Amino acid sequence: MHSHVKMCVDRTIGRGQRHQAFDRALSERADNLLVAPVGDENPVRQAVAGPLVARATLFVSKRWAPGRTLAVSFLDGPSELCDRVAKAAREWESSASLRFDFGRHPAAELRVSFQADSGSWSWIGTDALSVEPGRPTINFGWLTATTPQDELRRVVLHEFGHVLGLVHEHQNPAAAGVIPWNVNAVYEYYAQFGWSRSEIDANVLQTYSREHTNFTEFDRSSIMLYPVDDRLTDGSFSVGWNRELSVQDRAFVRTWYPEPADPVELLVGGARLEAGLDAAEVETFTFVNDIDRRHIVDTRGPTDVHLTLLGPDDPAAVLSMDDDRGQGRNARIVRRLRPGRYWVQVRAGAGNGQGPFNVGVRRYR
Ligand SMILES: [Zn+2]
């Protein structure tokens, strides 16, 4: 039905499966549960950083865990075409800490097909986990071995934007005041491709609730934007085919998928390391201990920090925590440690501190 118009159509999880899709999103990434204070102008960012408030809406985002490698398999398509798709998709890897592992994976999270009668689409983020095994999660309805490279790349970058969790930019609520749609012209235009009114509403005219927005400001360069034909707007407004990842596309995806920072190496009995803390930030350090003895891990400086000691040899095993046992509002842990590798996490203390601190580890005498 949509094969004559080269525009991507939304995939939405059916009501019956929504609960399961939420569960999958939350087990993928705990911070997919977001809280938007009512009336907040920037719900996504506030929800990530801000405290729980009484009047708030809960919603579930569909982001993958940062650092994740996603297996991708092709269900059909000539191998040369598959190679071109893989190469284009991997452009996203320079902006997100996700890796696409294309190959013959029997249980791939992402499955690509080239069914010509089905249009181009992708499920959004972790919704792909709710698709029946063996069925495509991404389809490229009009890509063939002879598709010019700039068109192939545009479509692949757009669909893999959905894979990362991005939604359509023309349906950003901020677009509502920017794109002066001529509604009758829009209906008439898409009707000639067989789109029903409700499909046109759902894919073109309706904006998302603010919780599901990509950006706070409308980005007319986004790869996630449909072209806007001047004849479909009142007055003069048009956007051509965006073929590149915009600056905002890249920057936004980076905030969702930051590179996991390598912990900084501390030396037992060595120099103390200077560092700093922003709100909601965690700094991680690591050290190796080669003798079974009591040790002191502590922070110094003007900032109220909280200290967590993890290990040995397991960066997820919490051994000890402290908030204020050090000098001033600093943290201090004294503990017998057996040989092994340890990790030290420093985050804002109970006083919600931000600012400089230094950290050290030494043997207790
Ligand atoms: Zn799309």
Side-chain angles (χ1 to χ4, degrees):
M1 166 174 52
H2 301 136
S3 53
H4 302 298
V5 57
K6 292 183 175 176
M7 287 186 195
C8 163
V9 286
D10 260 358
R11 307 296 283 184
T12 40
I13 289 280
R15 213 167 268 281
Q17 274 195 300
R18 225 165 273 171
H19 201 82
Q20 193 186 40
F22 284 171
D23 281 350
R24 289 191 166 119
L26 294 178
S27 40
E28 173 72 22
R29 180 167 173 171
D31 67 354
N32 270 338
L33 182 65
L34 299 178
V35 185
V38 168
D40 195 303
E41 287 311 307
N42 184 358
V44 174
R45 214 166 302 163
Q46 292 292 330
V48 172
L52 282 167
V53 293
R55 294 190 63 219
T57 46
L58 287 176
F59 61 97
V60 176
S61 167
K62 299 168 178 179
R63 298 166 298 171
W64 303 95
R68 181 92 134 84
T69 296
L70 295 169
V72 195
S73 64
F74 289 97
L75 300 178
D76 45 55
S79 66
E80 195 200 339
L81 177 60
C82 297
D83 290 347
R84 288 169 68 197
V85 167
K87 186 163 183 279
R90 298 191 66 190
E91 277 186 50
W92 275 112
E93 291 180 345
S94 64
S95 301
S97 61
L98 290 181
R99 297 293 167 261
F100 298 118
D101 180 10
F102 289 88
R104 293 179 176 275
H105 309 285
E109 287 93 0
L110 304 172
R111 300 175 295 277
V112 178
S113 184
F114 298 92
Q115 292 167 17
D117 57 353
S118 173
S120 285
W121 45 259
S122 166
W123 291 90
I124 311 276
T126 55
D127 277 354
L129 299 174
S130 295
V131 177
E132 205 182 312
R135 305 277 307 159
T137 67
I138 304 162
N139 193 62
F140 296 112
W142 59 83
L143 297 189
T144 66
T146 58
T147 302
Q149 181 60 17
D150 67 339
E151 170 69 359
L152 178 136
R153 187 166 157 265
R154 174 189 76 77
V155 174
V156 171
L157 288 173
H158 178 100
E159 297 309 340
F160 274 79
H162 288 313
V163 168
L164 267 56
L166 296 177
V167 292
H168 283 146
E169 184 61 8
H170 55 280
Q171 293 177 281
N172 183 336
V178 180
I179 307 176
W181 291 118
N182 179 321
V183 173
N184 288 331
V186 170
Y187 283 139
E188 214 170 289
Y189 176 78
Y190 285 96
Q192 60 179 322
F193 304 112
W195 288 29
S196 69
R197 281 217 166 196
S198 63
E199 285 175 311
I200 299 166
D201 288 341
N203 287 287
V204 184
L205 294 174
Q206 282 168 4
T207 55
Y208 299 106
S209 65
R210 287 182 312 156
E211 289 80 1
H212 296 99
T213 314
N214 302 341
F215 318 116
T216 49
E217 305 224 340
F218 176 66
D219 175 16
R220 64 180 296 148
S221 308
S222 174
I223 194 75
M224 302 314 291
L225 183 66
Y226 275 17
V228 180
D229 192 310
D230 198 17
R231 289 168 298 174
L232 304 184
T233 61
D234 289 324
S236 185
F237 184 96
S238 67
V239 178
W241 290 99
N242 291 337
R243 296 181 186 279
E244 304 286 335
L245 303 183
S246 74
V247 171
Q248 212 173 160
D249 288 334
R250 289 176 175 280
F252 185 77
V253 157
R254 171 66 73 204
T255 67
W256 273 7
Y257 300 105
E259 287 297 335
D262 286 332
V264 182
E265 196 80 28
L266 277 169
L267 194 61
V268 177
R272 304 183 64 82
L273 293 181
E274 300 289 336
L277 214 53
D278 293 332
E281 191 193 1
V282 181
E283 289 285 337
T284 305
F285 305 84
T286 181
F287 64 89
V288 174
N289 166 38
D290 53 14
I291 188 166
D292 190 336
R293 189 152 329 154
R294 279 217 290 175
H295 286 70
I296 304 172
V297 183
D298 66 346
T299 63
R300 291 178 198 168
T303 310
D304 180 8
V305 298
H306 182 276
L307 201 56
T308 308
L309 180 63
L310 307 105
D313 300 321
D314 179 357
V318 175
L319 200 57
S320 186
M321 290 187 193
D322 182 56
D323 194 351
D324 286 335
R325 259 177 257 165
Q327 302 166 2
R329 305 301 303 272
N330 277 282
R332 183 172 192 258
I333 293 171
V334 180
R335 198 177 168 104
R336 184 172 162 181
L337 302 180
R338 56 186 173 82
R341 179 168 284 281
Y342 293 83
W343 289 263
V344 178
Q345 291 177 344
V346 180
R347 51 170 62 79
N352 196 23
Q354 311 178 28
F357 66 91
N358 68 62
V359 62
V361 54
R362 63 193 187 278
R363 291 195 188 116
Y364 189 90
R365 321 173 191 277

